[in-house]
Amino acid sequence: MERRIGVIGIVIEDRKVAPRINEILSAHGDVIVGRMGIPYRERGLSVIALIVDGSTDEIGALTGKLGNIGGVRVKSALVTR
């Protein structure tokens, strides 16, 4: 299966869902190369940027689970390696 490398951006509008997000990220830790999280207090948001390396299915499973959480927005950009 072809592997891809990319970036996933996660915007969290409600910090109460943070434990669920961390649970999902831990479950998919095998495709996460790096993570940066920034609280954007002035806007009442938190932003997480992930660098990922995995198959389209693996990355899609991660983004799909995150995107199903209320108050969370997810975008990804992937390239073929």
Side-chain angles (χ1 to χ4, degrees), residues 1-5 30-31 53-61 78-81:
M1 189 172 285
E2 187 174 42
R3 296 183 65 82
R4 296 182 178 263
I5 191 164
D30 52 324
V31 299
D53 184 353
S55 70
T56 304
D57 290 345
E58 291 170 325
I59 296 169
L78 305 174
V79 296
T80 303
R81 180 158 48 120

Side-chain angles (χ1 to χ4, degrees), residues 10-61:
I10 307 164
V11 177
I12 305 161
E13 298 171 348
D14 182 1
R15 292 199 57 184
K16 292 177 187 171
V17 300
R20 178 70 181 129
I21 292 168
N22 285 323
E23 181 180 306
I24 293 168
L25 295 179
S26 292
H28 293 272
D30 52 324
V31 299
I32 299 172
V33 176
R35 170 183 173 171
M36 177 179 61
I38 306 289
Y40 193 176
R41 290 181 184 89
E42 294 83 7
R43 301 274 309 258
L45 304 169
S46 294
V47 180
I48 299 174
L50 302 175
I51 306 300
V52 293
D53 184 353
S55 70
T56 304
D57 290 345
E58 291 170 325
I59 296 169

